[in-house]
Amino acid sequence: MTEEHQGADQPENAPATLDPEVSAVGERHGMFGVTGSGDTSGYGGLVQPIVFPAPAHRPLEGWHEDVAAALDTALADAGVAHAVESVVVHRGEVTFHVRREDLPTVARVLRDDAALRFELCSGVSGVHYPADAGRELHAVYHLLSMTFNRRIRLEVTCPDADPHIPSTVATYPTNDWHERETFDMFGIIFDGHPALTRILMPDDWPGHPQRKDYPLGGIPVEYKGGTIPPPDQRRSYN
């Protein structure tokens, strides 16, 4: 088999599986991990590695290095020089992997430093990697600098056994409902959030529906009926 053909067999998310710096965090079977469903699409036999891209080597290219260097300087001045664990550049996009205990400081620096000015966080996304031992839950923050017209990501992890990440609502108020949704769907607890309650599912809903270990179907209907109380009896978020 030619090298070109071998490369064609590699999954799109694993372009560098031969690179020792790429870490595998599991193996995906089937389209959605479903077995015994009678699926005739052919996806039932799909086997695909789940890998993370390798950390980038400094210096980075273009403005990515400008941001990374400015962030290094600002974090050193803030006394958290090692807050960024690694930097990944993949498909032209840059992600800073941040220690969870330092997330509030990193967020403030990115917003306020004159060389950075990431004024807007447009959302928080949860991800669940059951096989990523000790780092099963990921929270991904999408930041925009309107001053410099740049976009970056922050990624923070926490274990299933201790699913706590500091809230960033004090720095980015737009994350209020985004953190609530990530809590609702993945079970990540954002410490310091002003009102961390479910936002999509009923308050008494068991489990977190977007986790990989949540049943996909064939379960009893859990919704117990909806009621709308009078306005003066509704739950307060203040």
Side-chain angles (χ1 to χ4, degrees):
M1 181 180 294
T2 66
E3 182 177 350
E4 180 181 357
H5 185 70
Q6 287 177 331
D9 289 338
Q10 295 295 330
E12 185 182 14
N13 73 329
T17 52
L18 299 180
D19 188 332
E21 294 183 79
V22 173
S23 58
V25 293
E27 193 172 65
R28 176 181 172 186
H29 292 260
M31 177 58 84
F32 299 106
V34 177
T35 58
S37 66
D39 175 23
T40 59
S41 68
Y43 282 114
L46 178 69
V47 178
Q48 183 176 10
I50 302 172
V51 301
F52 291 151
H57 297 287
R58 302 284 298 274
L60 310 176
E61 294 184 2
W63 64 264
H64 291 164
E65 179 61 26
D66 296 339
V67 170
L71 184 58
D72 286 344
T73 300
L75 292 177
D77 293 342
V80 288
H82 301 291
V84 176
E85 297 176 325
S86 65
V87 183
V88 172
V89 178
H90 185 53
R91 297 179 179 173
E93 300 177 349
V94 62
T95 302
F96 295 87
H97 292 257
V98 177
R99 297 190 305 189
R100 60 173 169 170
E101 62 268 26
D102 294 324
L103 176 61
T105 301
V106 173
R108 285 194 301 271
V109 165
L110 284 166
R111 183 193 66 182
D112 296 340
D113 189 272
L116 296 167
R117 293 295 190 212
F118 286 90
E119 301 97 342
L120 173 67
C121 183
S122 60
V124 183
S125 305
V127 193
H128 182 211
Y129 294 102
D132 191 9
R135 303 163 63 94
E136 293 89 355
L137 295 168
H138 294 224
V140 184
Y141 301 78
H142 309 269
L143 274 58
L144 167 66
S145 169
M146 292 176 283
T147 299
F148 298 109
N149 191 24
R150 296 169 174 170
R151 293 181 184 270
I152 65 170
R153 280 191 296 263
L154 303 181
E155 189 162 343
V156 183
T157 67
C158 61
D160 264 339
D162 181 28
H164 290 263
I165 291 176
S167 173
T168 56
V169 171
T171 301
Y172 293 113
T174 52
N175 284 350
D176 187 337
W177 285 15
H178 293 283
E179 289 183 354
R180 286 179 57 199
E181 182 175 355
T182 304
F183 160 70
D184 195 355
M185 295 291 105
F186 293 91
I188 297 175
I189 300 169
F190 292 94
D191 297 324
H193 188 284
L196 192 64
T197 54
R198 290 190 182 269
I199 193 171
L200 297 174
M201 310 305 290
D203 289 339
D204 59 353
W205 190 273
H208 304 280
Q210 287 190 347
R211 289 174 55 100
K212 298 285 197 311
D213 53 9
Y214 192 83
L216 290 176
I219 58 176
V221 175
E222 300 178 51
Y223 188 58
K224 300 176 178 61
T227 59
I228 301 177
D232 60 342
Q233 297 179 20
R234 293 177 187 170
R235 182 174 58 191
S236 172
Y237 298 100
N238 297 324

